[in-house]
Amino acid sequence: MHQYMADTAAAVLLTGTCDAGWLDNIKAEVVVTMPATMLTGEETGQAELPAGTLVDDDTALMLAGSVSSWTRLFTHPVTGVAVTADVYAPTAALRRFVVHRDRTCRFPGCARIAKHADVDHTKDWQHGGKTTPDNLACLCRHHHTLKHRLGPDEGWKVRQLEPGVL
């Protein structure tokens, strides 16, 4: 009973909700910003948390070496303002933009609404495609799967002439 109460308290504190699965909704995200040169040993003392608190080099490198995925954030060289992030999944705002822009599945003749479609990389992510509006388009699950199953050698060739124009 004590473990149940502790798990419930942790779930409420961390997620704001308490479901029957107690800890199923808890997802931790640790954000540590550091220059790539820190990973190569060229620079030290540059890792920090979002609030600007410095993180010691050993802790930052340990965290960097033990994660299953990374988000590379590219910043303007002068201002330091974030320009783009190198991630597979589009942000919620980018997904909303693409869904509203496309309105329906972009396969010719398909009228399935984009809200329920997959946001697909026109040039595949694994082949260097970026997660940007000019490389994303909505495809219903059927046509998204078909695109990957057939591939470019079986007649499926698509490119974006400009963002949203396929």
Side-chain angles (χ1 to χ4, degrees):
M1 185 55 130
H2 292 290
Q3 185 64 52
Y4 173 77
M5 292 185 329
D7 290 347
T8 302
V12 170
L13 289 170
L14 294 171
T15 68
T17 62
C18 181
D19 295 328
W22 311 315
L23 302 175
D24 294 343
N25 294 325
I26 297 175
K27 301 214 181 347
E29 180 183 49
V30 177
V31 178
V32 178
T33 304
M34 69 180 85
T37 52
M38 199 173 151
L39 298 172
T40 62
E42 297 172 40
E43 210 169 338
T44 60
Q46 298 295 313
E48 61 182 43
L49 299 175
T53 306
L54 291 177
V55 177
D56 68 273
D57 293 351
D58 291 336
T59 302
L61 294 172
M62 185 269 307
L63 289 169
S66 64
V67 296
S68 59
S69 67
W70 290 52
T71 299
R72 292 188 305 171
L73 184 66
F74 297 95
T75 58
H76 188 279
V78 176
T79 65
V81 173
V83 177
T84 187
D86 187 7
V87 293
Y88 173 74
T91 63
L94 181 54
R95 178 177 168 70
R96 255 190 325 275
F97 171 79
V98 173
V99 164
H100 289 295
R101 178 194 72 193
D102 291 357
R103 295 191 207 126
T104 63
C105 171
R106 299 306 303 276
F107 189 85
C110 185
R112 290 185 180 112
I113 63 171
K115 181 179 179 183
H116 302 295
D118 298 334
V119 175
D120 176 61
H121 290 81
T122 304
K123 180 179 180 184
D124 290 343
W125 170 262
Q126 65 265 25
H127 298 298
K130 302 293 181 198
T131 306
T132 57
D134 59 335
N135 191 48
L136 296 174
C138 291
L139 292 175
C140 68
R141 178 54 52 102
H142 172 75
H143 290 119
H144 187 190
T145 304
L146 181 67
K147 175 190 170 198
H148 289 290
R149 195 171 47 226
L150 292 178
D153 298 331
E154 298 297 323
W156 183 280
K157 293 183 182 178
V158 64
R159 64 186 172 105
Q160 292 199 39
L161 303 174
E162 57 185 72
V165 178
L166 290 108

